């Protein structure tokens, strides 16, 4: 891993280091726009064609029904079901706590305001299925959607070579009482949920991570349709801050846990000494040699790097500029620096908290902002699946109290009908 000295980096150097997943020639955009246009025009037919072209499978129909999902899920082993059950329970418990009723507020005598939650009616869940099949993502999206009370869940996931989905995804579908999965992946699945096809319902909001093509499709449809997105969640990334109290084996394992996601993943180490950097780098090579997905992880590591800083404070400054999806504080002094965290998707504290715990079963959501979007976005939560509608009620006394201010403000803006909406109520008493 290439190593940089933080004190020698210019502002331009840092800006270059923290930039990722760019599309300078708009090559990805051009491809995705063509896919979106094709799905808009040809609907299901386009999805069948893309399954044949991209997934190398000829589909007879675009979905799996409940009976088929039950057959596929029957192959899941008891210990695997137990692990998925634990993940389900922890994720549910954490997200259930987010569903809160807010208090009514009397802003002045006789004027009461409050907010109530309303679920988004139709949501689309995109479950990646490329080089790694992710039932955990299905749990992370499906559970808060169910807690929020969304009326209709449209689920899309790429077909495997046999024209089905992975047994674990089928099992999670049954856990969530979802009886249909559409066999569509990539940017074409995003387009189908955004515009609707003969088989797939147009949704109000799309959720789920994916590669650069999926992310680009989400950003395009957000600006061209009435369908919203959760966030631009693209290729996965981790930034590890480490000092002399960190364990190099743990650091390497955490870096590789991200690197094995895909060749466009990033695993960044920011540490306070060259000794830590060298020890962690050596461990990466040792552990990489025995990974089943070593070829993928190696390509990700080759585009990752190490930054050596003079202190944990400098390390945190760099981290906030990078704005990582996952931030690991590999130090016994983590309590001293958590208050300095400004930009991060999800944070893992101390040497015994691996990022993979959050990926699977601790309870927090792993659908998080990447590519510096943590500067403006939060990860998925129950809040992502609801709208917060404001209410207000004014009594006769309240109208007397607030009316003059409303009239004055309306008149100074030249909106006399607004002022009259108060005046007529005075006259009608």
């Amino acid at each position: 891993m290439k190593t940089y000295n933080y004190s020698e980096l210019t502002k331009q150097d840092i800006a270059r280091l923290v930039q990722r997943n760019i599309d300078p020639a708009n090559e990805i955009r051009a491809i995705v726009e063509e896919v979106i246009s094709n799905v808009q025009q040809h609907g299901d037919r386009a999805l069948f064609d893309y399954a044949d072209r991209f997934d190398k499978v000829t589909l007879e129909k675009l979905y799996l029904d409940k009976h088929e999902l039950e057959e596929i899920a029957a192959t899941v082993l008891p210990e695997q079901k137990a692990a998925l059950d634990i993940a389900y329970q922890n994720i549910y418990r954490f997200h259930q706590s987010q569903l809160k009723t807010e208090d009514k507020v009397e802003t002045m005598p006789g004027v009461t305001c409050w907010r109530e939650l309303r679920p988004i009616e139709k949501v689309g869940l995109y479950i990646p299925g490329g080089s790694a099949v992710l039932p955990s993502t299905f749990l992370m999206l499906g559970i808060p959607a169910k807690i929020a009370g969304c009326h209709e869940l449209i689920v899309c996931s790429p077909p495997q070579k046999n024209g089905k989905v992975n047994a674990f995804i089928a099992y999670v579908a049954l856990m969530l009482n979802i009886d249909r999965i559409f066999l569509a992946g990539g940017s074409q699945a995003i387009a189908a949920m955004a515009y609707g096809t003969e088989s797939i319902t147009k949704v109000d909001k799309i959720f789920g991570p994916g590669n650069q093509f999926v992310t680009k499709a989400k950003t395009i449809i957000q600006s061209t349709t009435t369908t919203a997105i959760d966030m631009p969640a693209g290729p996965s990334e981790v930034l590890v801050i480490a000092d002399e109290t960190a364990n190099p084996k743990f650091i390497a394992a955490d870096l590789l846990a991200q690197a094995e996601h895909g060749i466009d993943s990033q695993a960044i180490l920011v540490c306070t000494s060259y000794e830590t950097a060298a020890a962690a780098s050596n461990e990466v090579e040792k552990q990489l040699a025995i990974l089943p997905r070593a070829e993928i992880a190696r390509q990700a590591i080759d585009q990752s790097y190490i930054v050596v800083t003079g202190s944990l404070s400098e390390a945190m400054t760099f981290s906030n500029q990078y704005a990582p999806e996952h931030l690991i504080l590999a130090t016994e002094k983590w309590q001293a620096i958590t208050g300095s965290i400004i930009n991060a998707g999800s944070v893992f504290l101390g040497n015994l908290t691996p990022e993979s715990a959050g990926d699977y079963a601790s309870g927090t959501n792993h659908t998080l902002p990447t590519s510096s979007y943590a500067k403006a976005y939060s990860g998925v939560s129950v809040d992502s699946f609801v709208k917060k509608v404001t209410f207000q009620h004014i009594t006769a006394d309240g109208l007397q109290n607030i009316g003059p201010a409303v009239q004055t403000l309306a008149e100074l803006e030249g909106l006399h009908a607004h002022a009259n909406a108060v005046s007529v109520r005075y006259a009608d008493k």
Side-chain angles (χ1 to χ4, degrees):
M1 295 175 69
K2 187 170 179 59
T3 302
Y4 301 90
N5 187 322
Y6 182 74
S7 64
E8 296 174 357
L9 296 174
T10 65
K11 288 183 178 180
Q12 291 75 21
D13 292 333
I14 293 173
R16 176 179 54 82
L17 284 176
V18 302
Q19 189 175 50
R20 58 263 197 209
N21 300 323
I22 57 175
D23 183 25
N26 285 321
E27 295 174 356
I28 293 174
R29 172 176 281 275
I31 294 170
V32 171
E33 285 179 338
E34 181 181 347
V35 169
I36 291 174
S37 177
N38 193 16
V39 172
Q40 275 186 277
Q41 294 179 45
H42 303 292
D44 284 357
R45 183 69 262 160
L47 298 180
F48 280 113
D49 290 344
Y50 284 128
D52 186 63
R53 177 178 168 187
F54 295 140
D55 303 309
K56 310 301 180 186
V57 57
T58 300
L59 298 176
E60 295 181 1
K61 59 177 184 164
L62 281 175
Y63 65 88
L64 299 171
D65 59 28
K66 186 174 183 179
H67 176 68
E68 292 169 304
L69 293 172
E70 287 173 340
E71 285 187 341
I72 298 169
T75 63
V76 179
L77 299 175
E79 62 268 26
Q80 295 167 334
K81 290 181 180 180
L84 287 166
D85 290 345
I86 288 173
Y88 182 100
Q89 292 162 12
N90 288 350
I91 296 166
Y92 191 95
R93 189 174 294 116
F94 179 73
H95 288 77
Q96 177 67 33
S97 70
Q98 299 166 7
L99 201 60
K100 298 182 185 298
T101 300
E102 298 182 8
D103 294 333
K104 293 183 178 181
V105 178
E106 190 173 51
T107 56
M108 64 189 309
V111 180
T112 305
C113 303
W114 69 97
R115 298 198 303 179
E116 294 182 10
L117 303 183
R118 296 293 185 269
I120 297 173
E121 291 188 284
K122 299 175 183 179
V123 298
L125 310 183
Y126 180 72
I127 314 303
S131 60
V133 180
L134 304 176
S136 56
T137 296
F138 203 173
L139 289 172
M140 296 290 178
L141 300 178
I143 290 172
K146 288 288 185 179
I147 291 171
C150 297
H151 299 164
E152 188 172 358
L153 274 61
I154 303 297
V155 181
C156 287
S157 191
Q160 296 187 310
K161 300 301 182 187
N162 63 359
K164 309 291 184 182
V165 294
N166 181 279
F168 308 118
I169 286 181
Y171 180 74
V172 171
L174 299 177
M175 295 175 79
L176 294 168
N177 293 317
I178 292 171
D179 55 14
R180 179 167 293 192
I181 293 180
F182 291 96
L183 299 168
S187 54
Q188 61 269 29
I190 303 303
M193 291 188 284
Y195 292 97
T197 71
E198 296 89 336
S199 298
I200 297 177
T201 302
K202 171 180 166 55
V203 302
D204 301 313
K205 191 173 183 179
I206 295 173
F207 295 79
N211 59 23
Q212 293 187 60
F213 293 90
V214 169
T215 302
K216 184 65 69 175
K218 288 170 69 177
T219 57
I220 290 172
I221 65 100
Q222 182 174 232
S223 62
T224 57
T225 74
T226 57
T227 300
I229 65 170
D230 51 354
M231 72 193 82
S236 194
E237 61 198 32
V238 68
L239 187 146
V240 179
I241 291 179
D243 64 5
E244 72 284 354
T245 66
N247 186 320
K249 290 183 180 180
F250 298 172
I251 296 172
D254 288 330
L255 295 174
L256 290 171
Q258 280 307 302
E260 72 173 355
H261 269 295
I263 61 173
D264 49 4
S265 297
Q266 270 204 336
I268 310 302
L269 172 60
V270 184
C271 56
T272 56
S273 73
Y274 279 96
E275 290 77 15
T276 300
S281 187
N282 289 335
E283 278 295 330
V284 165
E285 294 302 319
K286 290 179 184 178
Q287 295 181 31
L288 186 59
I290 58 173
L291 279 181
R293 292 169 63 86
E295 185 176 346
I296 291 172
R298 165 58 70 189
Q299 293 181 69
I301 288 296
D302 285 345
Q303 65 177 5
S304 301
Y305 55 86
I306 300 172
V307 175
V308 178
T309 64
S311 65
L312 287 174
S313 178
E314 283 187 347
M316 188 58 70
T317 298
F318 181 86
S319 175
N320 283 326
Q321 290 174 287
Y322 186 91
E325 176 190 20
H326 305 99
L327 171 60
I328 298 175
L329 302 187
T331 170
E332 293 176 6
K333 306 168 188 174
W334 58 266
Q335 289 175 307
I337 57 175
T338 53
S340 300
I341 299 170
I342 300 172
N343 304 316
S346 191
V347 185
F348 303 81
L349 305 172
N351 292 312
L352 297 179
T353 312
E355 183 271 323
S356 51
D359 265 357
Y360 292 113
S362 66
T364 61
N365 207 290
H366 80 198
T367 308
L368 302 163
T370 65
S371 304
S372 287
Y373 282 109
K375 292 180 178 179
Y377 286 85
S378 304
V380 165
S381 67
V382 172
D383 284 350
S384 308
F385 291 90
V386 300
K387 300 160 294 181
K388 298 183 178 181
V389 182
T390 58
F391 293 80
Q392 52 217 282
H393 176 256
I394 299 176
T395 66
D397 288 341
L399 187 63
Q400 291 292 333
N401 291 329
I402 200 172
V406 173
Q407 288 175 299
T408 299
L409 291 170
E411 288 167 358
L412 70 84
E413 290 188 351
L415 300 175
H416 298 286
H418 280 64
N420 190 53
V422 175
S423 300
V424 296
R425 284 172 166 79
Y426 285 150
D428 198 49
K429 288 194 304 177

PDB file of all heavy atoms in Angstrom, residues 121-135:
ATOM      1  N   GLU A 121     -45.530   5.054   0.838  1.00  0.00           N
ATOM      2  CA  GLU A 121     -46.424   3.971   0.426  1.00  0.00           C
ATOM      3  C   GLU A 121     -45.724   2.865  -0.347  1.00  0.00           C
ATOM      4  O   GLU A 121     -45.855   1.688  -0.024  1.00  0.00           O
ATOM      5  CB  GLU A 121     -47.570   4.543  -0.414  1.00  0.00           C
ATOM      6  CG  GLU A 121     -48.543   5.394   0.385  1.00  0.00           C
ATOM      7  CD  GLU A 121     -49.747   5.775  -0.446  1.00  0.00           C
ATOM      8  OE1 GLU A 121     -49.605   6.664  -1.291  1.00  0.00           O
ATOM      9  OE2 GLU A 121     -50.819   5.185  -0.237  1.00  0.00           O
ATOM     10  N   LYS A 122     -44.971   3.221  -1.383  1.00  0.00           N
ATOM     11  CA  LYS A 122     -44.342   2.218  -2.248  1.00  0.00           C
ATOM     12  C   LYS A 122     -42.834   2.434  -2.280  1.00  0.00           C
ATOM     13  O   LYS A 122     -42.371   3.492  -2.719  1.00  0.00           O
ATOM     14  CB  LYS A 122     -44.913   2.304  -3.665  1.00  0.00           C
ATOM     15  CG  LYS A 122     -46.413   2.040  -3.751  1.00  0.00           C
ATOM     16  CD  LYS A 122     -46.926   2.252  -5.165  1.00  0.00           C
ATOM     17  CE  LYS A 122     -48.437   2.051  -5.217  1.00  0.00           C
ATOM     18  NZ  LYS A 122     -48.971   2.282  -6.581  1.00  0.00           N
ATOM     19  N   VAL A 123     -42.081   1.452  -1.801  1.00  0.00           N
ATOM     20  CA  VAL A 123     -40.623   1.577  -1.804  1.00  0.00           C
ATOM     21  C   VAL A 123     -40.007   0.428  -2.588  1.00  0.00           C
ATOM     22  O   VAL A 123     -40.530  -0.688  -2.620  1.00  0.00           O
ATOM     23  CB  VAL A 123     -40.045   1.617  -0.370  1.00  0.00           C
ATOM     24  CG1 VAL A 123     -40.566   2.824   0.378  1.00  0.00           C
ATOM     25  CG2 VAL A 123     -40.350   0.341   0.397  1.00  0.00           C
ATOM     26  N   GLY A 124     -38.894   0.730  -3.224  1.00  0.00           N
ATOM     27  CA  GLY A 124     -38.144  -0.286  -3.965  1.00  0.00           C
ATOM     28  C   GLY A 124     -36.869  -0.625  -3.229  1.00  0.00           C
ATOM     29  O   GLY A 124     -36.125   0.266  -2.815  1.00  0.00           O
ATOM     30  N   LEU A 125     -36.613  -1.917  -3.048  1.00  0.00           N
ATOM     31  CA  LEU A 125     -35.403  -2.384  -2.373  1.00  0.00           C
ATOM     32  C   LEU A 125     -34.507  -3.063  -3.402  1.00  0.00           C
ATOM     33  O   LEU A 125     -34.904  -4.061  -4.016  1.00  0.00           O
ATOM     34  CB  LEU A 125     -35.739  -3.364  -1.247  1.00  0.00           C
ATOM     35  CG  LEU A 125     -36.822  -2.937  -0.242  1.00  0.00           C
ATOM     36  CD1 LEU A 125     -36.960  -3.990   0.843  1.00  0.00           C
ATOM     37  CD2 LEU A 125     -36.527  -1.573   0.345  1.00  0.00           C
ATOM     38  N   TYR A 126     -33.302  -2.537  -3.588  1.00  0.00           N
ATOM     39  CA  TYR A 126     -32.357  -3.155  -4.506  1.00  0.00           C
ATOM     40  C   TYR A 126     -31.348  -3.965  -3.705  1.00  0.00           C
ATOM     41  O   TYR A 126     -30.624  -3.422  -2.871  1.00  0.00           O
ATOM     42  CB  TYR A 126     -31.626  -2.116  -5.363  1.00  0.00           C
ATOM     43  CG  TYR A 126     -30.645  -2.775  -6.300  1.00  0.00           C
ATOM     44  CD1 TYR A 126     -31.112  -3.506  -7.396  1.00  0.00           C
ATOM     45  CD2 TYR A 126     -29.281  -2.722  -6.074  1.00  0.00           C
ATOM     46  CE1 TYR A 126     -30.225  -4.155  -8.241  1.00  0.00           C
ATOM     47  CE2 TYR A 126     -28.393  -3.367  -6.925  1.00  0.00           C
ATOM     48  CZ  TYR A 126     -28.873  -4.086  -8.007  1.00  0.00           C
ATOM     49  OH  TYR A 126     -28.005  -4.746  -8.830  1.00  0.00           O
ATOM     50  N   ILE A 127     -31.299  -5.278  -3.957  1.00  0.00           N
ATOM     51  CA  ILE A 127     -30.386  -6.168  -3.247  1.00  0.00           C
ATOM     52  C   ILE A 127     -29.300  -6.615  -4.218  1.00  0.00           C
ATOM     53  O   ILE A 127     -29.570  -7.374  -5.146  1.00  0.00           O
ATOM     54  CB  ILE A 127     -31.124  -7.411  -2.692  1.00  0.00           C
ATOM     55  CG1 ILE A 127     -32.438  -6.999  -1.998  1.00  0.00           C
ATOM     56  CG2 ILE A 127     -30.209  -8.189  -1.759  1.00  0.00           C
ATOM     57  CD1 ILE A 127     -32.282  -6.008  -0.876  1.00  0.00           C
ATOM     58  N   PRO A 128     -28.060  -6.143  -4.039  1.00  0.00           N
ATOM     59  CA  PRO A 128     -26.986  -6.491  -4.983  1.00  0.00           C
ATOM     60  C   PRO A 128     -26.779  -8.001  -5.062  1.00  0.00           C
ATOM     61  O   PRO A 128     -27.042  -8.735  -4.105  1.00  0.00           O
ATOM     62  CB  PRO A 128     -25.758  -5.797  -4.391  1.00  0.00           C
ATOM     63  CG  PRO A 128     -26.306  -4.721  -3.522  1.00  0.00           C
ATOM     64  CD  PRO A 128     -27.589  -5.262  -2.963  1.00  0.00           C
ATOM     65  N   GLY A 129     -26.266  -8.439  -6.186  1.00  0.00           N
ATOM     66  CA  GLY A 129     -26.004  -9.872  -6.355  1.00  0.00           C
ATOM     67  C   GLY A 129     -24.887 -10.108  -7.333  1.00  0.00           C
ATOM     68  O   GLY A 129     -24.971 -10.996  -8.176  1.00  0.00           O
ATOM     69  N   GLY A 130     -23.850  -9.288  -7.266  1.00  0.00           N
ATOM     70  CA  GLY A 130     -22.730  -9.435  -8.192  1.00  0.00           C
ATOM     71  C   GLY A 130     -21.766 -10.514  -7.733  1.00  0.00           C
ATOM     72  O   GLY A 130     -22.107 -11.690  -7.628  1.00  0.00           O
ATOM     73  N   SER A 131     -20.525 -10.103  -7.416  1.00  0.00           N
ATOM     74  CA  SER A 131     -19.513 -11.076  -7.005  1.00  0.00           C
ATOM     75  C   SER A 131     -19.789 -11.618  -5.606  1.00  0.00           C
ATOM     76  O   SER A 131     -19.265 -12.651  -5.217  1.00  0.00           O
ATOM     77  CB  SER A 131     -18.115 -10.432  -7.041  1.00  0.00           C
ATOM     78  OG  SER A 131     -18.051  -9.326  -6.164  1.00  0.00           O
ATOM     79  N   ALA A 132     -20.631 -10.920  -4.831  1.00  0.00           N
ATOM     80  CA  ALA A 132     -21.027 -11.402  -3.501  1.00  0.00           C
ATOM     81  C   ALA A 132     -22.522 -11.179  -3.337  1.00  0.00           C
ATOM     82  O   ALA A 132     -23.027 -10.102  -3.637  1.00  0.00           O
ATOM     83  CB  ALA A 132     -20.263 -10.668  -2.406  1.00  0.00           C
ATOM     84  N   VAL A 133     -23.232 -12.198  -2.895  1.00  0.00           N
ATOM     85  CA  VAL A 133     -24.670 -12.096  -2.671  1.00  0.00           C
ATOM     86  C   VAL A 133     -24.894 -11.636  -1.235  1.00  0.00           C
ATOM     87  O   VAL A 133     -24.293 -12.172  -0.306  1.00  0.00           O
ATOM     88  CB  VAL A 133     -25.366 -13.441  -2.927  1.00  0.00           C
ATOM     89  CG1 VAL A 133     -26.860 -13.328  -2.689  1.00  0.00           C
ATOM     90  CG2 VAL A 133     -25.103 -13.895  -4.364  1.00  0.00           C
ATOM     91  N   LEU A 134     -25.782 -10.649  -1.044  1.00  0.00           N
ATOM     92  CA  LEU A 134     -25.864  -9.973   0.242  1.00  0.00           C
ATOM     93  C   LEU A 134     -27.241 -10.066   0.894  1.00  0.00           C
ATOM     94  O   LEU A 134     -28.023  -9.105   0.858  1.00  0.00           O
ATOM     95  CB  LEU A 134     -25.471  -8.499   0.067  1.00  0.00           C
ATOM     96  CG  LEU A 134     -24.091  -8.234  -0.549  1.00  0.00           C
ATOM     97  CD1 LEU A 134     -23.881  -6.743  -0.764  1.00  0.00           C
ATOM     98  CD2 LEU A 134     -22.990  -8.814   0.320  1.00  0.00           C
ATOM     99  N   PRO A 135     -27.569 -11.196   1.540  1.00  0.00           N
ATOM    100  CA  PRO A 135     -28.826 -11.253   2.283  1.00  0.00           C
ATOM    101  C   PRO A 135     -28.857 -10.252   3.432  1.00  0.00           C
ATOM    102  O   PRO A 135     -29.931  -9.811   3.847  1.00  0.00           O
ATOM    103  CB  PRO A 135     -28.868 -12.697   2.795  1.00  0.00           C
ATOM    104  CG  PRO A 135     -27.450 -13.162   2.782  1.00  0.00           C
ATOM    105  CD  PRO A 135     -26.816 -12.458   1.625  1.00  0.00           C
TER     106      PRO A 135
END
